[in-house]
Each structure stands twice: as C-alpha cells, then as structure tokens.
Amino acid sequence: MTTNKAVLKFVEEAKNLCKPENVVWVTGEEALYEQLREEACKTGEMIKLNQELLPGCYLHRSALNDVARVEGRTFICCKNKDDAGPINNWMDPQEAYAKLGEIFDGCMKGRTMYVIPYSMGAVGSKFSKIGIEITDSIYVVLSMHIMTRDGDKVLEALGDSEDFVRGLHSKAELDEEKRYIVHFPEDNAIWSVNSGYGGNVLLGKKCFALRIASYLGKNEGWMAEHMLIVGIQNPQGEIKYVAAAFPSACGKTNLAMLIPPEIYKKKGYKVWTVGDDIAWIRVGEDGRLWAINPENGFFGVAPGTNMHSNPNALLSTKKNSIFTNVVHDLDNNTVWWEGMDTPAPTNAVNWRGEKWDASKYDKQDKSTYGAHPNSRFTAPTVNCPCLSDQFEAPNGVPLSAIIFGGRRAKTAPLVYESRDWNNGVFVGSSMASETTAAATGAVGVVRRDPMAMRPFVGYNMADYFAHWIEMGKKITNKPKIFNVNWFRTDENGKFIWPGFGDNLRVLEWILARCENKVDAREVPIGYIPYAKDINIEGLSITEDTVEDLLSVDKETWKEEAKGIEEFYAQFGDRLPKELRAELETLKSKLN
Ligand code: GTP
Ligand code: SPV
Ligand code: MN
C-alpha cells in the first residue's frame, strides 16, 4: 500500500461512491494474479487453456454487445465546449460527474474493488507517467498486468506526488444504454462504465496514453501519438527507427513486427519492434525526435494473424496471454481464428459461446465465422522474438521518419514523401481511411482520420494540428514525413500490393530518401519514387504494376482536395493558417 494522501483520498472516494464489499490493492505479487485467475475460471469469466501448448494462457469472452471501442459514447469533458472541438463528443464536466456518479453509485455492491497502480513507460523514467485504475473486473486487472508495468514499484516511484491519472472503471451491468467512456483532461481523470472491452476499459491505453496524454503533451511540449515504432537494421548493422500512424486495424502491429522478405534476410536486414500502437515523442537535446512505447504488452487483432502473415505476433501469444472473442477448440483446449494456418476445428465454440460447426464455415460468408472480426490477444512484449533491445531505453529511440497511412482502395499511392514538415502535417491532418471493426459502427466507410488520431485526441483537433506545427519549430533535426497505402485494390477488389513483410521494400525507399541516397519525382501531392527504385526482386508483380500503384490521378485528387476543404471548414478560424496555405498550394498544383 501507500501513504500517498492523494492516492488514499482517490481510493476512499471511489469506495464511498461504488460501495464495494472489499478493496484489494494490486501489489505486483504473482500469488494475487494466480488467485484472480483461479477465481475468474471458477466464475466463467476466463477459461484456462491447454497449459502444455499455451502455458499461462486464458480465453475470455466479452458480452455480445461489448466487442469494440464505442466512439459514440466516448466524451471529452472540459469546461469550454470549444476546447473539445468539433470532432469529439463533449459533456460539461459537472454534468458528466453527476450523470456517471449516479451510475457508479453502489455499482460494486457485493463485488471486490481492485486498485491498480501502473506506469506508462519504464518505471521511474522521466518520460513515464503514472496512473491508478480502480476496477471491479478481474479481466481488467489481469490485462493491465500484461499491458503495463503495475504494482507496488509504481507507488514507490510516485512517492508523495499528486501527479497521476485517476481512472475509475466498473463493468456495472454492461448496459449498452448506460455505457460511457468519459475523460476529464483538466482533472487528469477518466471514468468508464458499463463496458468490459479493451480500449474502453484498459484505461492506460487509449484513454490515458492517447486522450489524456495528448492533452498533457500539448501543455508540456511533447506528443502522444497512435503510432508503432520499429527499427530497421541494414546489412552494415546500422539501425534506423521510424514511427508510423495507421488507423485502428490498418496494419501497425504487422508493420512493427514484419519479417523481411527472403532476399532482404540474405543481405542481413533485421527488424526490431519497439511498439505496435502508441508512441510518446519528445525533442531530444540533439534536436531530433525521440520516441518511447509507453505500453508493456500488445493488444493485437487476432484474425489474419498466422505464421505466414505475422509469426512474431503469433509467437508473442504462446505464453502468458489472454485471448478475447476467438474460437475455442475443445479437442485440444486451444484457440483458433479466421486466417490461422491450421484448419478450422470441428469440435469448437465460437466467440458468442455457442457450439460452432466448422463444417459450415465458409471463408466467403462472414456470418459463418467463429471469431469476432475485432477479436484480440493481450500478449507481453517480452514474448516478442524481435523485441528491440531499446524497448526499455529511458530516452527512447531517435526517429528518422514519420509515416502516415490508411486504407484507401484508390486515391493514395503506395508511398509519397511530403515536401517539408508543415506539408507533412497537412498530409497527416487530411488522412482518410476506411473504417474497421475496431470500433462499433459501419465498416468500410471512408472518413477523415487525421494522424490516425480521430478517436483519440483529448482536445480540439485544430489545436492538435497547431501543436504539430509548433513542434516542427522546436525540432532542429526533423524526420521526413511520408504517406503509405498498402490497400489499393484492382477491379476485382483484390489488394494489388503484397503487403506485410514486403512493406520493407517501401521502408527501404523511405530510409534511402532520409539519407538522400535515392531520387524522387515531384507530383502535386509531394514526391513519389521512380518505379525502378522500389525493389521487386522475388515478387510476382512487375515494374508496371508498381507504376500503377504510384499513380496520382489529378481528377481524384481534386475531389480529395474538396473533401479536405469540407473537413477543415468545421474548425473555422481555429485551423492553423499554415494548413490552410498547404491546402491552397495543393489546389494550385492540381490545376
Ligand atoms: P489496432 O490494434 O486496432 O490499432 O490495429 P493495427 O493498426 O495494429 O492493425 P494490424 O496490424 O493488427 O492489422 C489489422 C488488419 O490489417 C489485419 O487483418 C491484417 O491482416 C491486415 N493487414 C496488416 N498489414 C497489411 C498489409 O500490409 N496488407 C494487407 N492487405 N493487409 C494488412
Ligand atoms: C485500436 O482500436 O486502435 C486498438 C484497440 O488498438 S483498442 O485498445 O480497443 O483501442
Ligand atoms: Mn490501436
């Protein structure tokens, strides 16, 4: 426990509000987690999997109505509505405390309240930040244990400080109608109720490390971004790091853990994972950008993960991991999902908990699928075979490039380079992508998702853009900014670019540009490669196909510019003038 008065007061207030039967502090002792695992297996909250094949692994099924982030019920509660901006849902803080206070009142009666002290970033690093999450969910306790550094060591690092994020979570009744994920950036607080799912309840992740942290970053002069961080080691043994922002379920985990194509492996290329979802970025004394991954685990998308597409992710889940909403193979008590290399199990239970008949499984018919499209695994980073030796580095890793990207069937080319920092901020701010199953709502609809942060900026998006522009002034040694699109499709709707490990071919061009080792051609949106400079050795596609993938159609982009203008309009005068100027430049280059 602790003598920290602010922590004790926070816990006392939560206790008075939620009225649990008892309170348990998560100390970090293995015996407690083991006791909780046993308890969760007794109540059916978790299922212990085959301990020979998957030691320390468990299966969890969330409620049927609770399988993804709920953006419509996620709020930013600051005093002035304008400070939340046109993209966020807003509630007055007093109103939110009152409204949710009623739901929280007595919600833990007969239940245990767990207090989880956790650190985002290595404990004690000056770049790290501390949170306390209070929850009535064992699944949350065990998942936070994988995803963060938790326990008494964090309270020791906190000492007497009041500087921690106050997170309150209750499953309550898992009532969709009363589900709220509410942030109070001005109070360093998060309240989440009536959900038991991932990004809604593992409060260290999107709620703290992005929404609250983006607000802290704006005030303190750093950045919290929805980015993977990966190191590329060349045959000379030099490692260059890049950070990439892709929207949810658009390939961050895959790029972060990619396996180099055979010809690259032979030459001696290696890839090292620093992070797969979140980057906290600061300007170093050398004027470069330095990034840490504040998490300690991967909350990865299961479907499509296999020994061919992402062996490093699959291997990361082989011990001490929790699977959510996947298929339970009853014959050997393991897990399965669509896109696994092995055949669908015949004696199984689907994500809904129903007997699942694999003989009716039809790859073409999603209604026959056994795993939820947003089913996930929570796996410790230490399991990752390609984890970077800089993962715990207190100052993080220096960034050579920042990459934005989304899912665009047509518009965006395979890769292009922005002209300079402000143009790169424009590229990020005007990103669009097709929606995925990571959030509730329609899938496949193109929407603007600036810097892949649309659901995650804890303040006015226009001020967030301004913060990016301001940061550019402080970075004397700027990384170049690029945009990629792995998802262009042909007339049959099939992806043209092979993707996955072969994305290294594009990263190679990006890094060569950063070192001024390769030429590029100017087009209205920036610089694109000469097709011959994208290495296709060993691929079945031709240089002509690469040329197609790189094409920038002026008419399509004129439409795109209109879309950006409409998107920008909602920010009014708050939109930085630099971005308005960039849009005008794009328009004139297209004419
Ligand atoms: P979040 O955890 O939601 O933030 O997702 P993420 O950005 O980490 O996405 P992830 O790497 O888990 O990939 C999501 C989906 O995109 C999976 O179904 C992958 O198989 C697919 N995917 C990833 N990379 C590629 C690629 O290069 N090409 C194609 N065609 N699909 C990809
Ligand atoms: C995402 O949706 O971007 C995720 C999953 O990484 S969640 O933690 O649910 O936000
Ligand atoms: Mn994510």
Side-chain angles (χ1 to χ4, degrees), residues 69 205-206 226 246-249 252 276-278 376 456:
R69 282 183 294 101
K205 197 174 175 60
K206 295 303 171 37
H226 193 197
F246 309 153
S248 301
K252 288 183 299 302
D276 82 323
D277 200 50
I278 296 176
R376 294 203 173 231
F456 307 123

Side-chain angles (χ1 to χ4, degrees), residues 127 222-223 229 241 243 279-293 390 393-400 471 475 477 479:
F127 286 0
W222 53 282
M223 307 161 94
I229 309 166
Y241 297 91
W280 283 0
I281 307 175
R282 289 167 198 267
V283 186
E285 280 165 16
D286 58 1
R288 287 191 292 178
L289 280 183
W290 289 74
I292 65 161
N293 166 17
Q390 297 301 299
N395 294 334
V397 294
L399 298 181
S400 297
M471 288 297 293
I475 315 162
N477 197 343

Side-chain angles (χ1 to χ4, degrees), residues 361-383:
Y361 164 58
D362 171 6
K363 218 177 154 183
Q364 305 305 323
D365 177 3
K366 293 202 168 152
S367 73
T368 67
Y369 281 23
H372 188 275
N374 191 37
S375 57
R376 294 203 173 231
F377 52 79
T378 311
T381 43
V382 290
N383 287 358

Side-chain angles (χ1 to χ4, degrees), residues 113-179:
M113 179 172 116
Y114 301 96
V115 182
I116 315 167
Y118 65 94
S119 174
M120 298 311 289
V123 178
S125 151
K126 66 174 197 268
F127 286 0
S128 299
K129 300 244 173 217
I130 288 173
I132 309 253
E133 175 164 356
I134 290 176
T135 180
D136 55 4
S137 158
I138 293 180
Y139 173 69
V140 168
V141 175
L142 296 173
S143 299
M144 286 292 283
H145 179 48
I146 296 172
M147 296 303 297
T148 71
R149 287 97 170 164
D150 60 339
D152 280 348
K153 57 183 184 285
V154 177
L155 289 176
E156 275 162 40
L158 183 65
D160 293 333
S161 170
E162 293 184 10
D163 186 12
F164 62 93
V165 173
R166 291 138 177 86
L168 179 61
H169 165 253
S170 173
K171 300 181 281 193
E173 310 306 319
L174 295 176
D175 179 351
E176 255 181 307
E177 301 299 318
K178 292 185 183 162
R179 186 168 296 154

Side-chain angles (χ1 to χ4, degrees), residues 248-254 277 376 407 486-487 495 499-500 503:
S248 301
C250 289
K252 288 183 299 302
T253 303
N254 277 274
D277 200 50
R376 294 203 173 231
R407 249 175 220 271
W486 316 137
F487 299 95
F495 296 121
F500 301 97
N503 293 332

